Amino acid sequence: MADRLNFGSLYRADLLWCLHAIAKDQHSEVAELLGFEEKPVIKKAEPEVTTLSGIECQISAMTAQVVMSQANKAEGSSYYRMIDRQVDPDKIAQAQGAAELPDWFIKASPSYFAETETRIPALHRIKPVYPPLVAWSRLWPMLLRELGKRVPGSKPDINKLVKKVSQGQKIRHIPKCTRYTWAENINVLIDINDGNFPYRQDFLRLQQQLIAWRGSDGLAVHFIYDEPGAYISHYQDGKETIEPWRHPEPNTPLLILSDLGLHSQSRRSVYQWLAFGQQLSLNGIRATVLMPVAEREIDQRLLRYFDCIVWDGNSTLKPVQAQDRTEQTHHPDNGGTEKLLALLFPALRVELGLLRAVRRLLPTNACDVSHEAAVWHHVAINSAGDEWGWQASSGTAYQESFLTQFQQLPQIKQQQLLEQLGIYHAQLPDELYFEAMHHFIRLGLELPEQVKTATLAFMSMLVKTYSHYPEQQSLALWVQRFLLRHDDAAMRSEHQLAFMAIEHQRKHQQLGTAIEWPADIDPQKMTAFIEPKSAIYFILLSQKGMELELLSEPESILPEDEWGKPSVLIERMVQHTNSLTLSYPAIDGKQLKFTLNLESDTPYRFTLPPGTHQIEIAEESFTVEVQSAGDKADWVCARGVDGNGLFVDTLSREGKSYRWYWHSPEITRQPAVSEKKGPQMAWEDPRFWREWHHSIAETKDQELTWQVAPGFWHYQSPNDKTDLTPDWADQAGRDRYGLYADVSIAGVTQRFRWIQPGSFLIGSPEHEQGRNDDEIQHQVSLSQGYWLADTTCTQALWQAVMGNNPSHFKGENRPVESVSWNDAQKFIKQLNRQQTQLDLRLPSEAEWEYACRAGTLGGFNFEGKLSLVNVNYRAIWEYEGDKWGKGSLHQTIEVKSYPSNASGLYEMHGNVWEWCHDRYGGYSAQPVIDPQDLEKGAYRVLRGGSWIGYGKECRSASRRDYLKDRSGYGIGFRLARGHQSRQTSASVSQQTNWIRGPVARGVQAG
């Protein structure tokens, strides 16, 4: 309409704002006042339009654009939002796109996530036996000698008797042979540190065996707490006691289990032991040290104060004799460490038992106990706790050496090596076991036929699953590690090539860059996993200005104009023919249907009138909400459309403004057998179509359901291509309830549901049955979204964090109960200290009811009447003495035993009361934004009812006050977390900047 006359601080958005707010006869004056001038509009000749019978028209995209832009032009600003999305399975079944894939891929089933039993062959499912450093039969005589005393036995000493007779001595009594027996008091000092950590099992097993041999009376076992001679710790009844070190009484044997600092990365540890040995010597004590250190590594200075006995299979188990040198001389290990590493090359994870078993396949003079420690601290490996794995760039360096050494082993030892590798890897998850076996096959090793068959079948199934379910981040991360660990041009396998093709194609789709293959890869061999046999067209539906624009070139960069970047409603929809059917309503209410040619370079544009409309594009139907400038939800203070999509702004109680972007619904598909089994798959991904005809064949006897992952408001823009997974979660995804995030808390997985900002009526209407006086109904607006656990805190989670279980009704998956509000706060504090990024808390009372209702207005968040089918409660409506209804459980039940509400939250009614953060207080009848906690009051709020409660207490609006230091068999809690915005919250004054500039078009302020 107008062009700028000068450059100031006003933009076209300001002009549009004013034109919308004032009468039409004043538009010219206002435009001139703002620095714009009106230009005459030159009308173009209208093309001839052929009218066809019915509502179907077959016209070109360009002609349709002109006709519909005139017929459907809506006045004022419009905001388009897709609120629902459906698919026609009958049309999908006719989709094309079969690819020429290998037989093993076609026959494989994408059932990795659905399988519950292991596929590992039985011959490897054997618990490995931990190999001791020295056989017990050899070890206990040595310990008896060092820790015992000589006493007369009953057997005559013939040698002494003959000697006396030969010397003519009188035989007054027959001399007896002496024997060893355990000393009455024995001190054992155990040193577990970073240097000898791999040997701690040997230390602890010896402690247990020593108790079994001689009993615990008079046996004092202590652990070095920090450094020798400082503090020690000991355990009694599971409790640790720390106290200063005290020297044992004279003539009391002292056994030390330690490496005396020789495996430490710092020489300081050795000097500490020398100082400690000197203290012992001054007190007349000479300790015996059983040490997992080769004699060549022992510092001669230590022999001044300790009787050092090498703890290894080839040891004489006698104290090492001092040599004529005062300083430690390091002897080379003759390549033993490298030989040991080479034999372990095929392993993915190595624990000490496997390391020792492989070491014993080598000659004793080639590999000793110190080589074990050297391997554990080698730069080529990453150690974590009881196991280690290869550095990403180090493992392949040992491949050639492994093959050489493996061929040099006798055949029986070759079989033993493969057997040990198989047994130990069978203790790992299936994918790691079969990855290792697959690696053995690639190396040309002879595996049992059943292992080879199972490995190839599992890898085929894993490739098929990875192709079908791109949203599964855990599998995607494993594939990336798999490709990194086995990036060897000389040993490419068909499964590896398939993984590589899918992975490269996925990155290509995400980043929009060309696929760059390694030099040894023939791209023609990857085509079957990348391109379908027939053509595929990609479609974008976006809002551009006040119109919707349909494009068939999503790979191109959407151009900017005076409106900025288009806001995308549908991204990467897939079409298999160049003929696309579009159906949508016109202003006069008629349903218009067009067939468009996707090969045309001209985009198709159309408008929809305000209201809720159904449009159809190919096999999908969409519900689109169109709002005019005057329509705005009461919890929204401003809204608009920019290059990041449709957004709304909310204003908090403190005056802070937050921006939320709309994420449109998505289509997912999965078998109808169980909603808990099998991951979902977004159908925009082309791989969905390439494998669709295979999935139809695989599920002939199993119905496929098409589910809609609903849309939601979120702090992250849908145009942001990064994952929606928060930085505090392990993974996130979308299902028919909305957005969720899974996080591992102390080893227990807890799912959180995203609860978007909004408003609702808290409390209950006066006519609601069972209503209490403290449920005054009024409007509450929550300016910020938050995350809420989908279940109450389970006993497994509590046990993992707190180390105890206060619950009366035991069960890992039952809710923890018998916890006060104070107990819940201690739990949350402990958990946040362990995982600082979580920042968990209890939900506020308003947050709890908002999430519980999930858009419902009645007494409960489900349809139908209250019953034991959907709620665990007393099975009577209100107090009737000690009466219980028929079928009531009289106890808690496992979480997720009842259907969830529309937000995916379980047992919001019944089972256990749930603590809220708020202090209990009366409601206001006035609308409230972000209700705040009361400053005074000793009582906290309980919500939801319980197994012991009455039906009316389980209502969405039911409230109960309870002292925060009290608990009960029916009281638990649910975890919550505030939203985590990726942008800095703007103040109210900053909000005005959002309506200045062409990219923030059509903004409506509150």
Side-chain angles (χ1 to χ4, degrees), residues 13 16-17 77-79 546 563 629 639-641 647 995 997-1005:
L16 292 174
W17 175 276
S77 301
S78 296
Y79 301 92
M546 296 299 104
W563 296 99
R639 66 176 177 180
V641 179
F647 67 83
I995 65 172
V999 296
R1001 60 195 182 280
V1003 178
Q1004 178 200 351

Side-chain angles (χ1 to χ4, degrees), residues 124 344-349 354 402 418 420-426 428-445 447 451 455 458-459 462 478 482 485-486:
H124 281 163
L344 290 166
F345 160 72
L348 297 181
R349 296 185 187 176
L354 175 60
F402 164 77
L418 295 180
Q420 290 296 319
L421 289 170
I423 290 175
Y424 275 92
H425 279 82
L428 303 175
D430 282 17
E431 62 271 17
L432 295 180
Y433 167 83
F434 285 111
E435 178 184 346
M437 298 303 105
H438 185 258
H439 192 29
F440 297 167
I441 295 173
R442 294 167 60 241
L443 288 169
L445 306 181
L447 294 177
V451 174
T455 299
F458 183 89
M459 296 302 292
L462 210 57
W478 176 86
F482 172 83
R485 285 192 289 257
H486 307 289

Side-chain angles (χ1 to χ4, degrees), residues 428-727:
L428 303 175
D430 282 17
E431 62 271 17
L432 295 180
Y433 167 83
F434 285 111
E435 178 184 346
M437 298 303 105
H438 185 258
H439 192 29
F440 297 167
I441 295 173
R442 294 167 60 241
L443 288 169
L445 306 181
E446 291 295 331
L447 294 177
E449 190 61 32
Q450 57 180 309
V451 174
K452 185 176 181 180
T453 302
T455 299
L456 297 178
F458 183 89
M459 296 302 292
S460 300
M461 178 266 291
L462 210 57
V463 173
K464 190 71 166 284
T465 303
Y466 183 55
S467 175
H468 272 58
Y469 303 119
E471 74 280 6
Q472 289 295 325
Q473 294 299 315
S474 58
L475 181 56
L477 292 174
W478 176 86
V479 169
Q480 293 170 10
R481 293 192 295 268
F482 172 83
L483 294 175
L484 187 62
R485 285 192 289 257
H486 307 289
D487 186 18
D488 186 354
M491 293 193 299
R492 302 284 189 203
S493 70
E494 54 186 359
H495 296 101
Q496 184 191 22
L497 291 174
F499 277 132
M500 186 180 298
I502 298 171
E503 175 68 12
H504 277 67
Q505 177 68 357
R506 197 162 291 175
K507 290 182 179 179
H508 168 67
Q509 293 170 350
Q510 293 174 350
L511 304 177
T513 57
I515 299 177
E516 184 177 353
W517 299 105
D520 60 286
I521 295 295
D522 182 4
Q524 297 298 324
K525 295 181 180 180
M526 321 294 275
T527 304
F529 294 96
I530 297 177
E531 296 181 0
K533 194 172 183 179
S534 60
I536 290 181
Y537 295 86
F538 302 93
I539 302 170
L540 281 178
L541 180 64
S542 61
Q543 179 180 356
K544 189 171 185 180
M546 296 299 104
E547 296 179 309
L548 291 178
E549 183 179 78
L550 188 65
L551 293 175
S552 60
E553 297 178 350
E555 299 299 333
S556 63
I557 300 177
L558 299 180
E560 291 190 29
D561 58 4
E562 68 272 15
W563 296 99
K565 293 182 179 178
S567 172
V568 177
L569 275 71
I570 304 172
E571 184 176 7
R572 296 189 65 80
M573 180 183 171
V574 179
Q575 174 70 13
H576 285 80
T577 66
N578 61 2
S579 179
L580 180 142
T581 301
L582 172 65
S583 176
Y584 64 91
I587 294 179
D588 57 6
K590 293 182 178 180
Q591 192 75 12
L592 304 177
K593 184 178 291 187
F594 298 95
T595 298
L596 307 178
N597 185 358
L598 294 180
E599 293 181 346
S600 172
D601 295 331
T602 305
Y604 179 77
R605 297 190 181 98
F606 61 99
T607 60
L608 295 175
T612 302
H613 308 285
Q614 290 289 124
I615 67 172
E616 296 180 5
I617 303 178
E619 294 86 10
E620 285 196 70
S621 63
F622 307 87
T623 303
V624 177
E625 177 191 77
V626 185
Q627 291 186 330
S628 62
D631 298 327
K632 181 172 65 67
D634 48 20
W635 56 276
V636 174
C637 68
R639 66 176 177 180
V641 179
D642 62 15
N644 291 318
L646 178 67
F647 67 83
V648 295
D649 296 329
T650 59
L651 200 63
S652 71
R653 186 187 186 98
E654 296 79 16
K656 274 192 172 182
S657 180
Y658 298 90
R659 176 158 290 189
W660 312 92
Y661 288 95
W662 178 251
H663 289 246
S664 296
E666 288 185 353
I667 290 288
T668 61
R669 70 178 179 88
Q670 65 178 15
V673 175
S674 171
E675 68 180 64
K676 296 182 181 180
K677 292 184 178 180
Q680 299 172 342
M681 180 177 183
W683 79 318
E684 289 90 348
D685 196 306
R687 283 179 297 280
F688 165 88
W689 294 99
R690 294 170 190 154
E691 298 305 322
W692 168 245
H693 72 291
H694 297 312
S695 64
I696 290 293
E698 294 160 358
T699 55
K700 289 181 180 179
D701 300 327
Q702 187 178 33
E703 181 184 357
L704 286 175
T705 61
W706 296 86
Q707 295 183 353
V708 178
F712 53 88
W713 296 103
H714 194 260
Y715 48 78
Q716 183 175 334
S717 162
N719 287 358
D720 187 348
K721 298 305 180 183
T722 58
D723 190 4
L724 285 176
T725 303
D727 54 6

Side-chain angles (χ1 to χ4, degrees), residues 141-171:
M142 180 276 296
L143 291 175
L144 185 62
R145 182 182 71 243
E146 297 295 331
L147 304 180
K149 60 181 180 180
R150 284 184 176 274
V151 297
S154 59
K155 184 178 180 181
D157 190 336
I158 303 299
N159 293 332
K160 288 185 178 180
L161 185 61
V162 170
K163 185 177 181 180
K164 284 187 175 185
V165 171
S166 64
Q167 294 176 352
Q169 299 180 14
K170 292 183 178 181
I171 307 300

Side-chain angles (χ1 to χ4, degrees), residues 292-307:
V293 179
E295 184 174 348
R296 59 185 172 80
E297 295 284 343
I298 296 179
D299 192 318
Q300 295 293 305
R301 293 171 295 179
L302 294 169
L303 302 180
R304 300 174 188 171
Y305 311 110
F306 303 101
D307 288 335

Side-chain angles (χ1 to χ4, degrees), residues 646-946:
L646 178 67
F647 67 83
V648 295
D649 296 329
T650 59
L651 200 63
S652 71
R653 186 187 186 98
E654 296 79 16
K656 274 192 172 182
S657 180
Y658 298 90
R659 176 158 290 189
W660 312 92
Y661 288 95
W662 178 251
H663 289 246
S664 296
E666 288 185 353
I667 290 288
T668 61
R669 70 178 179 88
Q670 65 178 15
V673 175
S674 171
E675 68 180 64
K676 296 182 181 180
K677 292 184 178 180
Q680 299 172 342
M681 180 177 183
W683 79 318
E684 289 90 348
D685 196 306
R687 283 179 297 280
F688 165 88
W689 294 99
R690 294 170 190 154
E691 298 305 322
W692 168 245
H693 72 291
H694 297 312
S695 64
I696 290 293
E698 294 160 358
T699 55
K700 289 181 180 179
D701 300 327
Q702 187 178 33
E703 181 184 357
L704 286 175
T705 61
W706 296 86
Q707 295 183 353
V708 178
F712 53 88
W713 296 103
H714 194 260
Y715 48 78
Q716 183 175 334
S717 162
N719 287 358
D720 187 348
K721 298 305 180 183
T722 58
D723 190 4
L724 285 176
T725 303
D727 54 6
W728 49 268
D730 298 318
Q731 64 176 1
R734 297 178 67 173
D735 57 18
R736 65 191 183 96
Y737 301 110
L739 178 65
Y740 66 85
D742 291 337
V743 58
S744 178
I745 302 177
V748 178
T749 299
Q750 176 67 62
R751 173 161 291 185
F752 287 83
R753 291 285 176 181
W754 169 247
I755 311 298
Q756 63 185 2
S759 62
F760 74 109
L761 288 176
I762 197 172
S764 60
E766 294 181 357
H767 59 77
E768 184 172 294
Q769 184 182 6
R771 182 180 188 271
N772 295 317
D773 293 336
D774 62 350
E775 298 172 14
I776 300 174
Q777 194 172 45
H778 62 287
Q779 180 172 288
V780 168
S781 296
L782 298 177
S783 66
Q784 303 170 58
Y786 56 99
W787 296 89
L788 190 63
D790 68 340
T791 67
T792 52
C793 177
T794 62
Q795 295 176 33
L797 180 54
W798 180 282
Q799 179 77 39
V801 175
M802 304 299 287
N804 58 52
N805 187 354
S807 304
H808 177 73
F809 302 107
K810 302 297 184 183
E812 287 188 354
N813 290 325
R814 291 192 183 195
V816 65
E817 25 86 2
S818 302
V819 291
S820 66
W821 185 91
N822 289 339
D823 294 333
Q825 294 299 325
K826 291 178 182 177
F827 170 86
I828 292 173
K829 184 177 181 181
Q830 174 72 9
L831 178 53
N832 287 336
R833 185 163 49 241
Q834 293 176 1
Q835 294 178 236
T836 55
Q837 76 280 11
L838 288 181
D839 196 23
L840 297 175
R841 57 175 173 82
L842 291 176
S844 69
E845 186 178 13
E847 288 175 339
W848 189 97
E849 185 169 334
Y850 178 57
C852 173
R853 289 189 175 278
T856 61
L857 300 175
F860 301 92
N861 59 29
F862 49 81
E863 296 181 358
K865 295 182 179 180
L866 171 67
S867 70
L868 292 174
V869 174
N870 41 40
V871 175
N872 179 19
Y873 72 115
R874 201 181 188 95
I876 59 175
W877 179 250
E878 57 189 358
Y879 176 77
E880 296 181 33
D882 292 332
K883 180 180 177 182
W884 288 76
K886 182 180 179 180
S888 54
L889 300 179
H890 293 260
Q891 60 181 322
T892 62
I893 196 170
E894 289 188 354
V895 298
K896 298 187 179 181
S897 295
Y898 295 94
S900 68
N901 69 357
S903 295
L905 304 173
Y906 294 90
E907 284 89 42
M908 297 296 283
H909 299 301
N911 212 22
V912 291
W913 287 97
E914 299 183 21
W915 284 111
C916 293
H917 183 271
D918 300 357
R919 293 176 176 86
Y920 178 83
Y923 279 166
S924 168
Q926 302 301 318
V928 180
I929 299 176
D930 299 333
Q932 290 183 332
D933 192 9
L934 298 175
E935 296 181 0
K936 297 181 180 180
Y939 290 83
R940 297 285 172 167
V941 177
L942 288 173
R943 285 302 202 114
S946 72

